[in-house]
Amino acid sequence: MSSIPPVAPVLAEVVRSGFVEGRHRGALVVLAADGSVERALGDVTGPVFPRSSNKPLQAAAVLRSGLGLAGERLALAAASHAGEDAHRRLAARLLAEAGLGEEALRCPPDRPLGGGEPSRSAMNCSGKHAAMLAASAANGWPVETYTDPDHPLQLLARETIEAATGETVAHVGVDGCGAPLFAFSLTGLARAFRGCVLAAPDSPERRVADAMRAHPWYVAGTGRPDTLLMAAVPGLLAKGGAEGVQAVALPDGRALAFKIEDGAARALGPVLAALLTTLGVDASAVPPEPVTGGGRPVGEVRATV
């Protein structure tokens, strides 16, 4: 028989008309500037799928392969973009520069977040996939199988992730976009983000962090939390992921990572804002999460951390 996992702590409450009608549980870890664990709630050592919070490390692997991305192109390689016009155009340019077209992408077609016709380039991971394809083409690796876990680029991604997290990958799955997904702990995720901002300026990890912070719109898009936060707080690196994952690093080496257990996106912003506030960071750029009734606000999702 499998053992019953311990009940995770409550990280956020859903309050309607002054009444708590729901709770979101999860786990979180905060690292001090020296890398030690300053605060932990829930299981922060067991493996989780970090989903798109993985992308900065996957982009670092693309650089380690020898592909010379920089600026907006590198930011898009680490992005979960909204599929806005400039996002789609830049993804198409990355492919064209590698002699490839949109049909080479293995991510599924999707609609831009603002609406429109579905396409592979509009899918939020198309920048990551375009960069992976470009890296494969540049190295003479098969482009048709670039999402296979045993593809040379994906093996390099795994090595890069294990070095950054200081952990052995616990499980390999398939992400929503079709690319390999590597499981490791929230502590490892926070450690990796801390390493990105503290790495030597010419290292792949630091180049990714610098590109994301210099071009935050390409990382997410208009009005989206990661973009707003990186634009508002100098030196901050942020990347969220599906199923309630978020990682952040500050330029002094402090870092945090958390996961909402039920994957609810509505709890992300309140928990992130509360944690940043405890670190003395202005979190006003993080949008609030109102609870509505009759078309008007009647409550909020509020953090309990």
Side-chain angles (χ1 to χ4, degrees):
M1 293 178 60
S2 61
S3 59
I4 299 175
V7 176
V10 175
L11 303 187
E13 296 176 333
V14 183
V15 183
R16 179 181 298 275
S17 304
F19 180 83
V20 177
E21 69 168 347
R23 296 170 179 84
H24 295 292
R25 299 178 180 273
L28 66 86
V29 62
V30 178
L31 302 184
D34 64 1
S36 62
V37 175
E38 183 174 278
R39 185 182 183 194
L41 291 174
D43 182 4
V44 300
T45 59
V48 300
F49 277 141
R51 303 299 298 270
S52 285
S53 294
N54 242 344
K55 285 178 177 173
L57 306 181
Q58 290 168 313
V62 165
L63 294 182
R64 288 188 180 278
S65 79
L67 191 67
L69 292 182
E72 295 95 335
R73 284 169 166 75
L74 185 51
L76 193 75
S80 297
H81 63 73
E84 297 175 68
D85 288 346
H87 294 138
R88 300 197 304 273
R89 287 196 299 267
L90 186 54
R93 284 202 296 274
L94 280 173
L95 290 168
E97 289 163 1
L100 300 166
E102 186 172 319
E103 70 281 354
L105 294 170
R106 292 292 178 263
C107 56
D110 202 358
R111 297 181 185 276
L113 287 186
E117 292 299 314
S119 67
R120 294 185 189 277
S121 63
M123 199 271 171
N124 77 88
C125 301
S126 68
K128 176 181 78 174
H129 280 252
M132 288 179 171
L133 276 164
S136 298
N139 283 280
W141 297 332
V143 295
E144 299 82 6
T145 58
Y146 75 94
T147 58
D148 289 357
D150 59 354
H151 187 276
L153 180 63
Q154 302 304 340
L155 294 176
L156 181 57
R158 179 172 182 157
E159 291 174 8
T160 300
I161 287 168
E162 290 184 336
T165 61
E167 298 179 6
T168 300
V169 165
H171 190 77
V172 180
V174 181
D175 211 338
C177 66
L181 180 62
F182 303 102
F184 47 88
S185 75
L186 288 172
T187 301
L189 181 59
R191 187 183 298 121
F193 268 60
R194 176 180 181 271
C196 285
V197 300
L198 295 181
D202 60 347
S203 67
E205 289 77 12
R206 178 64 176 274
R207 287 162 60 192
V208 173
D210 288 350
M212 292 173 66
R213 293 181 292 186
H215 305 281
W217 184 85
Y218 281 94
V219 177
T222 306
R224 302 189 69 201
D226 284 338
T227 292
L228 295 173
L229 193 54
M230 286 191 285
V233 182
L236 180 144
L237 177 67
K239 187 69 191 73
E243 295 300 320
V245 180
Q246 181 73 51
V248 170
L250 298 170
D252 63 3
R254 290 178 294 165
L256 64 89
F258 65 88
K259 175 174 169 55
I260 306 302
E261 189 175 62
D262 62 5
R266 66 178 178 178
L268 274 175
V271 173
L272 175 58
L275 290 175
L276 290 174
T277 299
T278 64
L279 295 176
V281 177
D282 181 3
S284 58
V286 180
E289 194 67 40
V291 171
T292 60
R296 62 185 178 85
V298 296
E300 64 177 341
V301 180
R302 68 185 182 196
T304 59
V305 297

